PDB file of all heavy atoms in Angstrom:
ATOM      1  N   PRO A   1     -33.093  27.585   4.333  1.00 89.00           N
ATOM      2  CA  PRO A   1     -33.774  28.149   3.152  1.00 89.00           C
ATOM      3  C   PRO A   1     -34.984  27.290   2.705  1.00 89.00           C
ATOM      4  O   PRO A   1     -34.885  26.086   2.535  1.00 89.00           O
ATOM      5  CB  PRO A   1     -32.642  28.117   2.116  1.00 89.00           C
ATOM      6  CG  PRO A   1     -31.342  28.191   2.877  1.00 89.00           C
ATOM      7  CD  PRO A   1     -31.667  27.393   4.107  1.00 89.00           C
ATOM      8  N   ARG A   2     -36.117  27.930   2.550  1.00 89.00           N
ATOM      9  CA  ARG A   2     -37.335  27.218   2.364  1.00 89.00           C
ATOM     10  C   ARG A   2     -37.480  26.419   1.124  1.00 89.00           C
ATOM     11  O   ARG A   2     -37.915  25.251   1.122  1.00 89.00           O
ATOM     12  CB  ARG A   2     -38.596  28.198   2.431  1.00 89.00           C
ATOM     13  CG  ARG A   2     -38.769  28.826   3.771  1.00 89.00           C
ATOM     14  CD  ARG A   2     -40.041  29.808   3.734  1.00 89.00           C
ATOM     15  NE  ARG A   2     -41.176  29.122   3.315  1.00 89.00           N
ATOM     16  CZ  ARG A   2     -41.956  28.480   4.153  1.00 89.00           C
ATOM     17  NH1 ARG A   2     -41.808  28.457   5.417  1.00 89.00           N
ATOM     18  NH2 ARG A   2     -43.115  27.909   3.698  1.00 89.00           N
ATOM     19  N   ALA A   3     -37.019  26.995  -0.059  1.00 93.00           N
ATOM     20  CA  ALA A   3     -37.218  26.336  -1.278  1.00 93.00           C
ATOM     21  C   ALA A   3     -36.322  25.057  -1.371  1.00 93.00           C
ATOM     22  O   ALA A   3     -36.800  24.025  -1.795  1.00 93.00           O
ATOM     23  CB  ALA A   3     -36.799  27.246  -2.530  1.00 93.00           C
ATOM     24  N   GLU A   4     -35.121  25.157  -0.918  1.00 93.00           N
ATOM     25  CA  GLU A   4     -34.195  23.944  -0.920  1.00 93.00           C
ATOM     26  C   GLU A   4     -34.714  22.939   0.025  1.00 93.00           C
ATOM     27  O   GLU A   4     -34.679  21.693  -0.363  1.00 93.00           O
ATOM     28  CB  GLU A   4     -32.838  24.419  -0.573  1.00 93.00           C
ATOM     29  CG  GLU A   4     -32.005  25.293  -1.546  1.00 93.00           C
ATOM     30  CD  GLU A   4     -32.415  26.747  -1.385  1.00 93.00           C
ATOM     31  OE1 GLU A   4     -33.369  27.058  -0.720  1.00 93.00           O
ATOM     32  OE2 GLU A   4     -31.715  27.607  -2.126  1.00 93.00           O
ATOM     33  N   VAL A   5     -35.164  23.308   1.255  1.00 94.00           N
ATOM     34  CA  VAL A   5     -35.761  22.389   2.211  1.00 94.00           C
ATOM     35  C   VAL A   5     -36.936  21.644   1.697  1.00 94.00           C
ATOM     36  O   VAL A   5     -37.115  20.419   1.798  1.00 94.00           O
ATOM     37  CB  VAL A   5     -35.948  23.086   3.597  1.00 94.00           C
ATOM     38  CG1 VAL A   5     -36.823  22.140   4.486  1.00 94.00           C
ATOM     39  CG2 VAL A   5     -34.691  23.428   4.238  1.00 94.00           C
ATOM     40  N   ALA A   6     -37.834  22.363   0.972  1.00 95.00           N
ATOM     41  CA  ALA A   6     -39.055  21.824   0.443  1.00 95.00           C
ATOM     42  C   ALA A   6     -38.653  20.750  -0.601  1.00 95.00           C
ATOM     43  O   ALA A   6     -39.215  19.739  -0.732  1.00 95.00           O
ATOM     44  CB  ALA A   6     -39.888  22.880  -0.142  1.00 95.00           C
ATOM     45  N   LEU A   7     -37.755  21.099  -1.484  1.00 97.00           N
ATOM     46  CA  LEU A   7     -37.306  20.170  -2.553  1.00 97.00           C
ATOM     47  C   LEU A   7     -36.716  18.949  -1.982  1.00 97.00           C
ATOM     48  O   LEU A   7     -37.124  17.797  -2.381  1.00 97.00           O
ATOM     49  CB  LEU A   7     -36.388  20.865  -3.532  1.00 97.00           C
ATOM     50  CG  LEU A   7     -35.805  19.908  -4.625  1.00 97.00           C
ATOM     51  CD1 LEU A   7     -36.883  19.546  -5.519  1.00 97.00           C
ATOM     52  CD2 LEU A   7     -34.759  20.721  -5.420  1.00 97.00           C
ATOM     53  N   LEU A   8     -35.847  19.052  -1.028  1.00 97.00           N
ATOM     54  CA  LEU A   8     -35.244  17.868  -0.417  1.00 97.00           C
ATOM     55  C   LEU A   8     -36.257  17.021   0.299  1.00 97.00           C
ATOM     56  O   LEU A   8     -36.209  15.785   0.222  1.00 97.00           O
ATOM     57  CB  LEU A   8     -34.145  18.286   0.558  1.00 97.00           C
ATOM     58  CG  LEU A   8     -32.933  18.975  -0.050  1.00 97.00           C
ATOM     59  CD1 LEU A   8     -31.971  19.540   1.015  1.00 97.00           C
ATOM     60  CD2 LEU A   8     -32.133  18.030  -1.061  1.00 97.00           C
ATOM     61  N   ALA A   9     -37.227  17.586   0.983  1.00 97.00           N
ATOM     62  CA  ALA A   9     -38.259  16.897   1.683  1.00 97.00           C
ATOM     63  C   ALA A   9     -39.082  16.134   0.785  1.00 97.00           C
ATOM     64  O   ALA A   9     -39.462  14.948   0.980  1.00 97.00           O
ATOM     65  CB  ALA A   9     -39.082  17.800   2.613  1.00 97.00           C
ATOM     66  N   PHE A  10     -39.346  16.714  -0.422  1.00 97.00           N
ATOM     67  CA  PHE A  10     -40.171  16.049  -1.371  1.00 97.00           C
ATOM     68  C   PHE A  10     -39.443  14.786  -1.983  1.00 97.00           C
ATOM     69  O   PHE A  10     -40.047  13.721  -2.161  1.00 97.00           O
ATOM     70  CB  PHE A  10     -40.574  17.013  -2.508  1.00 97.00           C
ATOM     71  CG  PHE A  10     -41.180  16.342  -3.716  1.00 97.00           C
ATOM     72  CD1 PHE A  10     -42.620  15.987  -3.663  1.00 97.00           C
ATOM     73  CD2 PHE A  10     -40.507  16.030  -4.818  1.00 97.00           C
ATOM     74  CE1 PHE A  10     -43.199  15.365  -4.700  1.00 97.00           C
ATOM     75  CE2 PHE A  10     -41.141  15.487  -5.927  1.00 97.00           C
ATOM     76  CZ  PHE A  10     -42.402  15.064  -5.854  1.00 97.00           C
ATOM     77  N   ILE A  11     -38.199  14.970  -2.274  1.00 98.00           N
ATOM     78  CA  ILE A  11     -37.466  13.915  -2.847  1.00 98.00           C
ATOM     79  C   ILE A  11     -37.274  12.708  -1.965  1.00 98.00           C
ATOM     80  O   ILE A  11     -37.524  11.530  -2.292  1.00 98.00           O
ATOM     81  CB  ILE A  11     -35.990  14.350  -3.332  1.00 98.00           C
ATOM     82  CG1 ILE A  11     -36.130  15.352  -4.454  1.00 98.00           C
ATOM     83  CG2 ILE A  11     -35.125  13.121  -3.764  1.00 98.00           C
ATOM     84  CD1 ILE A  11     -34.806  15.922  -4.832  1.00 98.00           C
ATOM     85  N   VAL A  12     -36.977  13.071  -0.665  1.00 98.00           N
ATOM     86  CA  VAL A  12     -36.744  11.982   0.292  1.00 98.00           C
ATOM     87  C   VAL A  12     -38.135  11.298   0.636  1.00 98.00           C
ATOM     88  O   VAL A  12     -38.184  10.123   0.624  1.00 98.00           O
ATOM     89  CB  VAL A  12     -36.192  12.471   1.603  1.00 98.00           C
ATOM     90  CG1 VAL A  12     -36.070  11.356   2.619  1.00 98.00           C
ATOM     91  CG2 VAL A  12     -34.805  13.060   1.309  1.00 98.00           C
ATOM     92  N   GLY A  13     -39.062  12.108   0.758  1.00 97.00           N
ATOM     93  CA  GLY A  13     -40.480  11.515   1.087  1.00 97.00           C
ATOM     94  C   GLY A  13     -41.093  10.681  -0.021  1.00 97.00           C
ATOM     95  O   GLY A  13     -41.656   9.697   0.254  1.00 97.00           O
ATOM     96  N   ALA A  14     -40.883  11.174  -1.273  1.00 97.00           N
ATOM     97  CA  ALA A  14     -41.469  10.499  -2.372  1.00 97.00           C
ATOM     98  C   ALA A  14     -40.773   9.184  -2.623  1.00 97.00           C
ATOM     99  O   ALA A  14     -41.448   8.273  -3.262  1.00 97.00           O
ATOM    100  CB  ALA A  14     -41.363  11.379  -3.628  1.00 97.00           C
ATOM    101  N   GLY A  15     -39.490   9.035  -2.129  1.00 97.00           N
ATOM    102  CA  GLY A  15     -38.832   7.808  -2.435  1.00 97.00           C
ATOM    103  C   GLY A  15     -39.103   6.708  -1.422  1.00 97.00           C
ATOM    104  O   GLY A  15     -38.706   5.554  -1.646  1.00 97.00           O
ATOM    105  N   ILE A  16     -39.715   6.976  -0.257  1.00 98.00           N
ATOM    106  CA  ILE A  16     -39.931   5.986   0.723  1.00 98.00           C
ATOM    107  C   ILE A  16     -40.710   4.739   0.248  1.00 98.00           C
ATOM    108  O   ILE A  16     -40.280   3.574   0.466  1.00 98.00           O
ATOM    109  CB  ILE A  16     -40.594   6.602   2.033  1.00 98.00           C
ATOM    110  CG1 ILE A  16     -39.590   7.617   2.646  1.00 98.00           C
ATOM    111  CG2 ILE A  16     -40.892   5.497   3.005  1.00 98.00           C
ATOM    112  CD1 ILE A  16     -40.197   8.410   3.795  1.00 98.00           C
ATOM    113  N   ALA A  17     -41.879   4.977  -0.251  1.00 97.00           N
ATOM    114  CA  ALA A  17     -42.715   3.860  -0.719  1.00 97.00           C
ATOM    115  C   ALA A  17     -42.067   3.085  -1.838  1.00 97.00           C
ATOM    116  O   ALA A  17     -42.059   1.887  -1.796  1.00 97.00           O
ATOM    117  CB  ALA A  17     -44.100   4.377  -1.038  1.00 97.00           C
ATOM    118  N   PRO A  18     -41.568   3.718  -2.894  1.00 97.00           N
ATOM    119  CA  PRO A  18     -40.951   2.994  -3.935  1.00 97.00           C
ATOM    120  C   PRO A  18     -39.728   2.063  -3.537  1.00 97.00           C
ATOM    121  O   PRO A  18     -39.658   0.994  -3.974  1.00 97.00           O
ATOM    122  CB  PRO A  18     -40.467   4.076  -4.921  1.00 97.00           C
ATOM    123  CG  PRO A  18     -41.379   5.204  -4.687  1.00 97.00           C
ATOM    124  CD  PRO A  18     -41.621   5.168  -3.187  1.00 97.00           C
ATOM    125  N   GLN A  19     -38.911   2.595  -2.587  1.00 96.00           N
ATOM    126  CA  GLN A  19     -37.775   1.770  -2.219  1.00 96.00           C
ATOM    127  C   GLN A  19     -38.268   0.639  -1.414  1.00 96.00           C
ATOM    128  O   GLN A  19     -37.675  -0.535  -1.517  1.00 96.00           O
ATOM    129  CB  GLN A  19     -36.712   2.576  -1.522  1.00 96.00           C
ATOM    130  CG  GLN A  19     -36.993   3.037  -0.095  1.00 96.00           C
ATOM    131  CD  GLN A  19     -36.498   2.048   0.942  1.00 96.00           C
ATOM    132  OE1 GLN A  19     -35.616   1.221   0.700  1.00 96.00           O
ATOM    133  NE2 GLN A  19     -37.067   2.018   2.130  1.00 96.00           N
ATOM    134  N   LEU A  20     -39.281   0.755  -0.605  1.00 97.00           N
ATOM    135  CA  LEU A  20     -39.834  -0.369   0.192  1.00 97.00           C
ATOM    136  C   LEU A  20     -40.402  -1.361  -0.759  1.00 97.00           C
ATOM    137  O   LEU A  20     -40.191  -2.583  -0.555  1.00 97.00           O
ATOM    138  CB  LEU A  20     -40.930   0.118   1.126  1.00 97.00           C
ATOM    139  CG  LEU A  20     -40.399   0.617   2.521  1.00 97.00           C
ATOM    140  CD1 LEU A  20     -41.590   1.216   3.296  1.00 97.00           C
ATOM    141  CD2 LEU A  20     -39.770  -0.422   3.307  1.00 97.00           C
ATOM    142  N   PHE A  21     -41.116  -0.962  -1.850  1.00 96.00           N
ATOM    143  CA  PHE A  21     -41.608  -1.808  -2.850  1.00 96.00           C
ATOM    144  C   PHE A  21     -40.564  -2.582  -3.603  1.00 96.00           C
ATOM    145  O   PHE A  21     -40.662  -3.780  -3.718  1.00 96.00           O
ATOM    146  CB  PHE A  21     -42.506  -1.086  -3.873  1.00 96.00           C
ATOM    147  CG  PHE A  21     -42.980  -1.946  -4.989  1.00 96.00           C
ATOM    148  CD1 PHE A  21     -44.149  -2.730  -4.762  1.00 96.00           C
ATOM    149  CD2 PHE A  21     -42.400  -1.929  -6.214  1.00 96.00           C
ATOM    150  CE1 PHE A  21     -44.654  -3.503  -5.761  1.00 96.00           C
ATOM    151  CE2 PHE A  21     -42.918  -2.683  -7.264  1.00 96.00           C
ATOM    152  CZ  PHE A  21     -43.989  -3.480  -7.024  1.00 96.00           C
ATOM    153  N   ILE A  22     -39.466  -1.896  -3.868  1.00 94.00           N
ATOM    154  CA  ILE A  22     -38.399  -2.575  -4.668  1.00 94.00           C
ATOM    155  C   ILE A  22     -37.640  -3.525  -3.736  1.00 94.00           C
ATOM    156  O   ILE A  22     -37.404  -4.670  -4.198  1.00 94.00           O
ATOM    157  CB  ILE A  22     -37.319  -1.449  -5.081  1.00 94.00           C
ATOM    158  CG1 ILE A  22     -37.909  -0.644  -6.224  1.00 94.00           C
ATOM    159  CG2 ILE A  22     -36.014  -2.138  -5.624  1.00 94.00           C
ATOM    160  CD1 ILE A  22     -37.192   0.640  -6.487  1.00 94.00           C
ATOM    161  N   GLU A  23     -37.394  -3.251  -2.488  1.00 95.00           N
ATOM    162  CA  GLU A  23     -36.709  -4.107  -1.617  1.00 95.00           C
ATOM    163  C   GLU A  23     -37.595  -5.249  -1.005  1.00 95.00           C
ATOM    164  O   GLU A  23     -37.039  -6.296  -0.632  1.00 95.00           O
ATOM    165  CB  GLU A  23     -36.059  -3.319  -0.488  1.00 95.00           C
ATOM    166  CG  GLU A  23     -35.084  -2.244  -0.977  1.00 95.00           C
ATOM    167  CD  GLU A  23     -33.823  -2.822  -1.648  1.00 95.00           C
ATOM    168  OE1 GLU A  23     -33.490  -3.910  -1.334  1.00 95.00           O
ATOM    169  OE2 GLU A  23     -33.232  -2.118  -2.415  1.00 95.00           O
ATOM    170  N   GLY A  24     -38.840  -4.992  -0.900  1.00 94.00           N
ATOM    171  CA  GLY A  24     -39.781  -5.953  -0.312  1.00 94.00           C
ATOM    172  C   GLY A  24     -39.980  -5.602   1.147  1.00 94.00           C
ATOM    173  O   GLY A  24     -39.110  -5.175   1.841  1.00 94.00           O
ATOM    174  N   LEU A  25     -41.244  -5.793   1.583  1.00 94.00           N
ATOM    175  CA  LEU A  25     -41.612  -5.421   2.947  1.00 94.00           C
ATOM    176  C   LEU A  25     -40.979  -6.332   4.033  1.00 94.00           C
ATOM    177  O   LEU A  25     -41.117  -6.037   5.174  1.00 94.00           O
ATOM    178  CB  LEU A  25     -43.126  -5.441   3.070  1.00 94.00           C
ATOM    179  CG  LEU A  25     -43.925  -4.472   2.091  1.00 94.00           C
ATOM    180  CD1 LEU A  25     -45.378  -4.618   2.331  1.00 94.00           C
ATOM    181  CD2 LEU A  25     -43.451  -3.022   2.347  1.00 94.00           C
ATOM    182  N   ALA A  26     -40.404  -7.417   3.618  1.00 94.00           N
ATOM    183  CA  ALA A  26     -39.698  -8.293   4.619  1.00 94.00           C
ATOM    184  C   ALA A  26     -38.282  -7.820   4.883  1.00 94.00           C
ATOM    185  O   ALA A  26     -37.640  -8.456   5.744  1.00 94.00           O
ATOM    186  CB  ALA A  26     -39.713  -9.684   4.105  1.00 94.00           C
ATOM    187  N   SER A  27     -37.763  -6.832   4.207  1.00 96.00           N
ATOM    188  CA  SER A  27     -36.436  -6.340   4.482  1.00 96.00           C
ATOM    189  C   SER A  27     -36.299  -5.393   5.625  1.00 96.00           C
ATOM    190  O   SER A  27     -36.827  -4.229   5.570  1.00 96.00           O
ATOM    191  CB  SER A  27     -35.944  -5.699   3.067  1.00 96.00           C
ATOM    192  OG  SER A  27     -34.640  -5.062   3.337  1.00 96.00           O
TER     193      SER A  27
END
């Protein structure tokens, strides 16, 4: 289903940079 897939892709993709920032690039 397109709508559900798009929402999940947005959530996962949007979190990549913030979690790296929180954890530190050396992790």
Side-chain angles (χ1 to χ4, degrees):
R2 291 181 59 87
E4 289 85 348
V5 166
L7 177 61
L8 295 174
F10 172 76
I11 293 172
V12 177
I16 293 174
Q19 76 90 21
L20 276 174
F21 175 78
I22 293 167
E23 300 295 336
L25 297 180
S27 171

